[in-house]
Amino acid sequence: MVLAYLLSVIFTQPVAAIQAEAIQPVALRPVANLEAQDTPNDPGASIDLSWELSPDSARVIRYEVYRASSRDGPFEKIVEFLIPTTFYTDEEVENNKEYYYRVDVAGKLGTRASCEIAGPVQAKPQWFNRNRLAVLVFALIYGGLVILYIEFAKRDRGMFVRRIAGLDAIDEAVGRSTEMGKPILFSFGIGYLTDVATLAALSILRRVARRAAEYETRILVPNYDPIVMTAAQETVKQAFSEAGRPDLYQESDVTFLTADQFGYAAGVDGIMLREKPGTVFLQGVFYAEALILAETAHSVGAIQIAGTNMATQLPFFIAACDYTLIGEELFAASAYLDRDPQLLGSLKSEDMAKIITVAIIAVVSIVGTVGAILASVSGKNEILLSLGEFVNDLFETLKGFLTTS
């Protein structure tokens, strides 16, 4: 018994000491260079934090971010990360209030380390977003072009606008119906008053209705939407008054049919077959009923002028109608027909803005291509290397400026 006791004392004491030494926790080093700053180019209520990882990141199992309203605390944990992280944006702060931050690292066996406190820092809203500088530049250029061309249009209402055959044919089409003693039918399709194409079609309806009043020709406007019907009634009524023939206006000729797509198509087809109009205008938003309406109008011998911004229906209109307004030709109708200086100026400035945009894209593409070519053929030529670096830097600057818009 005595021998056994002596052996246990001899052999177990060193083992216990070794185990105690093995489980002794090793101190962690904290993160470095913690910085807290107001988030730039934002509406406020946001603070950016950044730091460098702990040199002992291999033994760190958790990064914890703390926030306080004073340097002495108390600090509240706002987020923790289980993977190495060097950046965080605190979006739960108030503007113009001071905050302090601290980042702790936690390891196994309860080891922890805290970095130096960063602060005070305040979140403030910025008046100007520097990342959107390109938008400001383009807005100023476009605004200047609009004002410039409006002034030009005031001095010269005959400002050149590309001829649009479908709009030029309106007077001829109305005159044809008058000569044949047949009415005119105008359809907005199945669009609503919130659709840009429907609004553009209203300006065409005004011109058609005015000419119909001057020629004493009946105009029929069946509608898919009751709100569009109300707008159409007011448009036709005003056009007849402007032409000096308010007595010819018949409210019953501008009617509501149905809000069902093919029910509307069937109703318009029935009107065409009964009334046999001499001219049919299909202007606005059209879907699967487009070809149905166009073919029915063709079967009654009507001249057709169609226009829509729906690319899927344009082929049917082009194939079945006499004239088709394609895309933006429909939107340009009001400026083209009324020759109003403000509308003309806006139209011309839009075209110029598109030209400038295409030119900028072309310049950036050329600069990027030249930079890539110089980088591949420069070799050890220092002049070509410098030129290639300059062109590539210019390309990156232009690309960054454009992509912020």
Side-chain angles (χ1 to χ4, degrees), residues 362-376:
V363 169
V364 173
S365 301
I366 293 172
V367 169
T369 303
V370 171
I373 293 174
L374 288 176
S376 63

Side-chain angles (χ1 to χ4, degrees), residues 144-222:
L145 288 173
V146 171
I147 295 173
L148 180 65
Y149 277 103
I150 286 176
E151 292 300 319
F152 286 161
K154 287 180 180 178
R155 299 175 186 177
D156 179 20
R157 291 208 174 197
M159 179 183 290
F160 173 76
V161 178
R162 177 179 64 84
R163 307 308 300 176
I164 302 177
L167 297 177
D168 289 336
I170 289 178
D171 292 349
E172 174 192 349
V174 175
R176 183 174 185 270
S177 285
T178 304
E179 293 174 355
M180 298 174 65
K182 294 183 177 182
I184 299 167
L185 187 141
F186 193 105
S187 172
F188 292 100
I190 59 173
Y192 298 95
L193 202 58
T194 53
D195 294 313
V196 179
T198 302
L199 296 175
L202 281 170
S203 64
I204 299 177
L205 173 62
R206 181 183 175 189
R207 174 62 172 264
V208 173
R210 189 185 304 152
R211 288 289 182 264
E214 292 173 355
Y215 299 159
E216 300 182 5
T217 303
R218 186 183 176 199
I219 179 169
L220 306 173
V221 188

Side-chain angles (χ1 to χ4, degrees), residues 22 40 71 73 120 158 162 201 228 250 294 311 321 325 390:
R71 184 175 290 274
R162 177 179 64 84
V228 175
Q250 297 293 329
C321 299
L325 304 180
F390 170 76

Side-chain angles (χ1 to χ4, degrees), residues 16-27:
I18 293 173
Q19 289 178 344
E21 183 178 354
I23 63 175
Q24 182 68 28
V26 180

